[in-house]
């Protein structure tokens, strides 16, 4: 199978400030365990410094009722464009995909996640369960930031 990167996009309206939302995902993603405990059961910094390119976090999460793990590296931080890119370097998602990256773009009133992935085979389904996960996470983070 030729190297082909496919993408899925999840967009969600937000009402809190762009900076507050962006900085949550840049510096405070460990708080997802508190904000969305049904999906995120553990997040820990494994390498590097929080909010910097190269930092690596270990994730425990539930997707479609299945507990999963991932080791995720912060690959790109674009403060001017309010964009963050995370790449999975180890974990369950790489059993189905040769590569898996998630990019968050935050703009006034909108958070957009783009999932870029390379299927391991022609039979591998697209990772569609990440769409409702991202939308629910963004909705809950937005509500959390409005009251905190």
């Amino acid at each position: 199978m030729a190297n082909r990167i496919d993408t899925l996009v999840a967009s969600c309206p937000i009402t809190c400030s762009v900076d507050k939302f962006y900085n949550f995902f840049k510096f405070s993603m460990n708080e997802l365990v508190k904000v969305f405990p049904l999906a995120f059961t553990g997040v820990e910094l494994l390498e590097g410094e929080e909010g910097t390119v190269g930092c690596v976090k270990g994730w425990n999460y539930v997707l479609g009722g299945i507990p999963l793990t991932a080791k995720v590296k912060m690959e790109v931080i674009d403060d001017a464009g309010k964009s963050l890119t995370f790449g999975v370097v180890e974990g369950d998602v790489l059993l189905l995909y040769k590569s898996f990256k998630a990019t968050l773009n935050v703009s006034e009133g909108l958070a957009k996640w783009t999932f870029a992935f390379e299927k391991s085979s022609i039979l591998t389904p697209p990772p569609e369960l990440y769409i409702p996960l991202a939308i629910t996470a963004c909705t809950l983070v937005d509500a959390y930031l409005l009251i905190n």
Side-chain angles (χ1 to χ4, degrees):
M1 183 172 169
N3 291 357
R4 183 176 141 197
I5 304 296
D6 291 311
T7 59
L8 287 175
V9 176
S11 296
C12 181
I14 59 171
T15 53
C16 73
S17 81
V18 170
D19 286 337
K20 200 170 184 183
F21 195 88
Y22 174 76
N23 285 328
F24 177 91
F25 283 93
K26 183 177 176 184
F27 295 109
S28 305
M29 284 205 318
N30 298 10
E31 297 287 312
L32 279 171
V33 173
K34 189 165 64 172
V35 175
F36 193 5
L38 289 176
F40 298 98
T41 57
V43 182
E44 68 176 315
L45 182 64
L46 301 174
E47 298 173 26
E49 186 178 325
E50 192 77 49
T52 63
V53 169
C55 78
V56 177
K57 291 190 173 191
W59 288 85
N60 293 303
Y61 63 104
V62 178
L63 190 63
I66 300 168
L68 301 167
T69 63
K71 190 185 267 190
V72 180
K73 183 177 186 176
M74 178 83 76
E75 294 186 349
V76 178
I77 296 173
D78 176 3
D79 288 333
K82 302 291 187 246
S83 177
L84 303 167
T85 299
F86 308 89
V88 177
V89 293
E90 285 180 28
D92 296 313
V93 73
L94 295 182
L95 296 173
L96 291 174
Y97 306 97
K98 292 180 185 177
S99 65
F100 192 90
K101 294 181 187 221
T103 299
L104 172 65
N105 291 287
V106 185
S107 58
E108 194 62 43
L110 187 69
K112 182 174 92 172
W113 284 96
T114 303
F115 300 100
F117 56 95
E118 183 183 353
K119 294 179 179 182
S120 59
S121 83
I122 193 82
L123 300 175
T124 302
E128 292 174 347
L129 288 176
Y130 284 90
I131 300 298
L133 177 70
I135 291 170
T136 303
C138 286
T139 301
L140 292 173
V141 166
D142 186 43
Y144 173 79
L145 294 175
L146 285 170
I147 59 174
N148 288 290

